[in-house]
Amino acid sequence: MKEKKLVGIKTRMSFTNNKTFELWRSFMPRLKEIPKRIGSELYSLEIYYDEFFKSFHPANEFEKWAAVEVKNFESVPAEMQSLVVPNGVYAVFIYKGPASEGVKAYNFIFQNWLPNSNYLLDNRPHFAVMEEKYRPNDPSSEEEIWIPVQSK
């Protein structure tokens, strides 16, 4: 993947103190304020701190973003931030199903696919790309899950 420029809103949370709904509820009404968007995709992005996966606990905090891709950072709306996602290799998975069951896809990726692959987890942002096929409560919903990897 080539470098991406994103603009959005971020918050700190954990899996036990999940604020995803509130984050997106605050972001979506302001979406039209963001100029120079690239495409209509929405990015749900996580930045996990260095030791997050080495000593995993559901209460460990991470940074969560609700964002869109932009051409440049010339006009970032007030109370929003910019983020550059660096280029690198990602494993991309298509998840089909309601958002409430997405944890099953992540369990498969981290417990089955990754340990049996030729890759290690890389320390870059993780994200999901939601396009027109994404409908959170619909069993036919579809999104892409992007996991940063590097060769073993």
Side-chain angles (χ1 to χ4, degrees):
M1 180 196 84
K2 292 183 181 179
E3 173 184 286
K4 291 185 179 291
K5 293 176 177 66
L6 302 180
V7 168
I9 297 174
K10 66 179 178 177
T11 191
R12 286 180 64 99
M13 69 173 72
S14 67
F15 290 118
T16 56
N17 185 23
N18 192 322
K19 300 175 186 174
T20 302
F21 179 77
E22 294 86 353
L23 177 66
W24 282 96
R25 186 174 59 189
S26 66
F27 177 69
M28 289 306 291
R30 299 195 58 206
L31 189 59
K32 294 185 185 223
E33 295 176 36
I34 303 171
K36 303 194 182 203
R37 289 181 51 194
I38 297 176
S40 60
E41 295 86 4
L42 300 172
Y43 288 77
S44 179
L45 183 140
E46 298 85 24
I47 297 175
Y48 298 107
Y49 304 108
D50 291 337
E51 299 297 315
F52 187 89
F53 290 105
K54 291 178 183 164
S55 57
F56 177 78
H57 188 278
N60 291 352
E61 288 195 332
F62 57 93
E63 193 173 280
K64 178 89 168 197
W65 287 71
V68 293
E69 187 174 7
V70 295
K71 292 178 185 173
N72 59 51
F73 298 135
E74 289 176 5
S75 301
V76 176
E79 300 170 6
M80 289 194 191
Q81 294 86 31
S82 59
L83 173 71
V84 174
V85 180
N87 63 325
V89 177
Y90 278 83
V92 182
F93 302 86
I94 304 297
Y95 169 68
K96 294 181 182 180
S100 60
E101 295 181 18
V103 70
K104 293 177 186 176
Y106 285 96
N107 283 341
F108 168 77
I109 293 167
F110 289 107
Q111 294 176 0
N112 296 87
W113 182 84
L114 191 60
N116 294 304
S117 74
N118 292 322
Y119 298 98
L120 299 170
L121 195 58
D122 200 0
N123 189 19
R124 287 179 285 120
H126 298 225
F127 58 92
V129 179
M130 297 163 290
E131 298 177 355
E132 67 276 350
K133 293 181 182 179
Y134 180 76
R135 293 172 300 284
N137 300 315
D138 189 331
S140 65
S141 181
E142 196 172 303
E143 66 186 277
E144 294 178 352
I145 298 171
W146 291 61
I147 306 296
V149 294
Q150 60 184 331
S151 295
K152 285 185 179 176

